[in-house]
């Protein structure tokens, strides 16, 4: 009763101030470490739930007291950021979906548009820019390509409008952001996204029906955590999401089933077009598990690290490994050059453009949660500072550390490189290590040096296939690493190797080749499951659908590159794995050669491969 005499506007702004303080509390919390930060999220979400409900119930009075539409949009944007942040911590698609819904509502209701350019206020225009950029990241991760294209057009239009209203220096960085997303989409083509990169219950083998491992009665491990990290010169990326990390991220998640989207639509459809009080279908934000897809297991949690300092990478690794459950295994994906000069960007390179856009769009992990609290945030934690140095000398050869991955642009090799020995202390727990580098084979020294748990290790070729026509890390192929493509989009990687693309591939032949690849992967999986020579390291992970799929795609990659004429049996062009796989899945077996022959024949590129005499197409083959 005491509050009944307090003006509504004062109660509202007190809630806004409280929400801002809570929001500031979580903005620098790391996006790894399991559920230890969930309580912080719940407290912040509770405040924003109260704030959202209050502004809905008192909208008319607040508008009369001077509440602007962009201020309502800012609340919705914060809620979207909270959902996205919780997705980064948990990797659960339901939070990503909720973030998308709030951003979509902000765009459709044009909360920021009304007051931005008409008032000649660049701060409001920046809010609209930031909202577009954040929504773009959500749409990319959520694989909403039509909306991505729509937002890119909106970004272009907004830049053009700003040219007529503001000095170019006021929005220069947003032109750079536009350049970055255009470059990202140029190389992440529709052909590379023909089928979902995520694990599909429809297109991939049902996890409940995987072949039983006949010679194994030991434990079965599940992928619970993953660290995905890259450090390359001028990588194609948007914000801090590189193409390779983007593909690997999706490869380690479940593709939401149709029932997930249908349930969401039916729950919200009754109020899609009703009212003007907020995002469609929402009387209040919902922090609950009832929006999760009940048909799917939880996604493995992932930490996406872009250009991390070596000390930060090791700190993240230590934190995650500490919380790994007894039945869990940690995947470590490291993509970096073995040459120190590759970490340096020149002032005129696209890296300089990307540096500017990072400060505008914000980090992929933090999602720019701090930028709207006090204009542009000046408080950046040490863990978020990329170790880039523009203008640093490139001929820093004395600091080269052979056999290590270069994760910095200056300083001594020890402080900027990750060596095999850096991972050994963490082999007290099960690790699945993927190294994509020209120094990958130096990580063979992990085998036998583990401190309790033998690690599973996949190693990229040390040299690129001649078809890529660029040195391994001079600037990297703009479409991303060939090895990573084989692990995430294997048939598209095959097509790129032999010179086929979306513009010159026969889609009927492509679809037939996709069926043949699926059959071959299943056959290799059965061969591994029934082999008496299967190492226990592989036997204990074959029940995990994500790791099994990656391992089988590695087998396909090795067979393709072994039989591809320009790289035929040349060790530097071939990937490797430790421990070794059984002979039954080696590239030169009749079964492996026949599998590659069928796919090559279907796509009309048989002449680009070398097969042993006597390898023929099956009688019922194409």
């Amino acid at each position: 009763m005491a509050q009944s005499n307090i003006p509504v506007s004062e109660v509202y702004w007190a809630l806004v101030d409280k929400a801002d303080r809570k929001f500031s509390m979580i903005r620098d919390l790391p996006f790894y470490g399991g559920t230890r930060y969930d309580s912080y999220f719940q407290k912040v979400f509770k405040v924003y739930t109260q704030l959202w409900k209050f502004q809905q119930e008192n909208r008319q009075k607040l508008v009369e007291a001077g509440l602007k539409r962009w201020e309502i949009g800012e609340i919705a944007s914060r809620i979207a950021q909270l959902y996205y942040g919780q997705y980064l911590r948990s990797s659960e698609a339901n939070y990503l979906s909720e973030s998308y819904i709030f951003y979509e509502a902000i765009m459709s209701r044009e909360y920021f548009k009304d007051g931005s350019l008409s008032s000649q206020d660049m701060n409001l225009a920046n809010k609209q820019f930031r909202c577009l950029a954040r929504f773009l990241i959500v749409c990319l991760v959520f694989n909403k390509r039509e909306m991505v294209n729509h937002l890119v057009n909106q970004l272009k239009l907004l830049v053009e409008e700003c040219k007529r209203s503001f000095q170019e220096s006021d929005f220069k960085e947003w032109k750079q952001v536009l350049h970055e997303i255009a470059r990202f989409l140029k190389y992440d083509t529709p052909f590379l996204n023909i089928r979902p990169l995520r694990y599909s219950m429809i297109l991939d083998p049902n996890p409940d029906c995987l072949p039983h491992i006949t010679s194994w009665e030991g434990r079965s491990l599940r992928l619970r955590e993953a660290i995905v990290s890259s450090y390359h010169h001028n990588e194609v990326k948007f914000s801090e999401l590189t193409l390779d990390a983007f593909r690997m991220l999706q490869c380690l998640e479940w593709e939401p089933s149709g029932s997930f989207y249908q349930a969401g639509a039916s729950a919200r459809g009754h109020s899609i077009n009703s009212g003007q009080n907020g995002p469609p279908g929402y009387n209040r934000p919902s922090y609950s598990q009832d929006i999760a897809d009940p048909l799917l297991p939880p996604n493995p949690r992932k930490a996406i690290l872009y250009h991390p300092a070596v000390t930060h990478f090791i700190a993240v690794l230590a934190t995650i490994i500490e919380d790994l459950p007894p039945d869990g295994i940690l995947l470590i994906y490291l993509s970096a050059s073995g040459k120190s000069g590759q970490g340096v960007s020149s002032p005129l390179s696209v890296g300089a453009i990307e540096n500017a856009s990072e400060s505008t769009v914000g980090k992929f992990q933090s999602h720019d949660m701090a930028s709207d609290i006090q204009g542009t945030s000046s408080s950046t934690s040490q863990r978020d500072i990329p170790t880039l140095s523009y203008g640093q000398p490139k001929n820093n050869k004395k600091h080269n550390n052979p056999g290590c991955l270069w994760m910095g642009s200056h300083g001594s090799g020890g402080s900027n490189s990750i060596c095999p020995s850096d991972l050994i202390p963490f082999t007290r727990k099960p690790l699945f290590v993927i190294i994509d580098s020209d120094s990958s084979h130096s990580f063979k020294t992990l085998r036998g040096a583990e401190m309790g748990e033998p690690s599973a290790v996949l190693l990229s070729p040390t040299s690129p296939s001649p078809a890529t026509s660029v040195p391994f890390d001079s600037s990297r192929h703009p479409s991303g690493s060939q090895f990573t493509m084989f692990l995430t989009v294997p048939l598209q990687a095959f097509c790129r190797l032999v010179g086929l693309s979306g513009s010159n591939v026969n889609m009927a032949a492509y679809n037939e080749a996709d069926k043949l690849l699926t059959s071959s992967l299943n056959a290799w999986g059965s061969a591994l499951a029934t082999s008496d020579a299967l190492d226990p390291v592989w036997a204990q992970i074959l029940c995990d659908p994500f790791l099994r799929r990656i391992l089988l795609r590695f087998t396909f990659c090795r067979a393709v590159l072994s039989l591809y004429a320009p790289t035929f049996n040349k060790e530097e062009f071939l990937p490797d794995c430790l421990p070794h796989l059984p002979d039954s899945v080696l590239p030169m077996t009749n079964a492996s050669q026949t599998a590659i022959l069928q796919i090559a024949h279907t796509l009309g590129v048989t002449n680009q491969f070398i097969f042993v005499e006597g390898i023929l197409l099956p009688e019922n083959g194409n």
Side-chain angles (χ1 to χ4, degrees), residues 363-376:
K363 306 294 183 271
F364 168 71
Q365 288 285 7
S366 67
H367 202 48
D368 198 21
M369 296 186 98
S371 64
D372 280 340
I373 293 176
Q374 292 179 336
T376 301

Side-chain angles (χ1 to χ4, degrees), residues 461-498:
T462 56
S463 296
S465 300
T468 61
S469 73
V470 294
F472 189 92
D473 212 325
S474 63
S475 62
R476 288 173 54 82
H477 194 288
S479 294
S481 159
Q482 180 189 75
F483 183 62
T484 297
M485 284 187 69
F486 266 106
L487 300 184
T488 56
V489 283
L491 190 53
Q492 291 93 321
F494 180 95
C495 290
R496 194 183 84 176
L497 178 72
V498 299

Side-chain angles (χ1 to χ4, degrees), residues 263-323:
S266 62
R268 305 175 186 112
H270 68 278
S271 56
I272 289 283
N273 297 314
S274 63
Q276 294 294 320
N277 289 337
Y282 272 83
N283 292 323
R284 60 179 179 83
S286 171
Y287 176 53
S288 64
Q289 295 298 322
D290 58 4
I291 53 178
D293 188 340
L295 301 181
L296 298 176
N299 286 323
R301 286 192 292 260
K302 296 171 290 299
I304 311 296
L305 305 180
Y306 171 75
H307 285 198
V310 172
T311 50
H312 177 48
F313 170 82
I314 293 176
V316 173
L317 176 55
T319 300
I320 292 176
I321 208 78
E322 180 182 359
D323 296 331

Side-chain angles (χ1 to χ4, degrees), residues 222-227 301 316-317 320-321 324 328-332 426 429-433 547:
R222 297 287 179 178
L223 179 62
R224 302 298 187 191
E225 303 273 359
I227 298 176
R301 286 192 292 260
V316 173
L317 176 55
I320 292 176
I321 208 78
L324 195 67
I329 185 170
L330 167 65
L331 181 147
I332 300 175
F426 304 101
K429 297 286 185 72
L431 300 181
F432 189 103
V433 182
L547 300 181

Side-chain angles (χ1 to χ4, degrees), residues 59 177-178 194 200-201 249 257 268 311 333 359:
R59 171 68 62 84
V177 169
L178 187 58
I194 290 176
S200 170
M201 287 289 197
L249 177 154
S257 67
R268 305 175 186 112
T311 50
Y333 169 86
S359 65

Side-chain angles (χ1 to χ4, degrees), residues 403-444:
C404 295
L405 306 185
W406 194 257
M407 305 290 283
S409 59
H410 62 283
S412 65
S415 63
N416 287 279
S417 57
I418 294 178
C419 303
S421 58
D422 291 323
L423 300 184
I424 290 175
F426 304 101
T427 57
R428 293 176 171 87
K429 297 286 185 72
L431 300 181
F432 189 103
V433 182
I434 301 173
I435 305 294
D436 192 348
S437 172
D438 52 352
S439 292
S440 63
H441 285 203
S442 65
F443 281 75
K444 290 181 178 181

Side-chain angles (χ1 to χ4, degrees), residues 11 26 31 43 90 95 128 130 146 164-165 172 177 262 314 326 330 356-358 374 381 398 411 428 487 577 591:
V11 176
I26 68 164
F31 288 90
K43 291 176 183 177
S90 67
Y95 296 116
Q128 189 175 352
R130 277 194 291 268
E146 289 186 8
R164 297 189 292 269
S165 303
K172 180 180 178 181
V177 169
Q262 292 166 8
I314 293 176
L330 167 65
S357 64
E358 283 165 15
Q374 292 179 336
S381 63
K398 66 180 181 179
R428 293 176 171 87
L487 300 184
C577 67

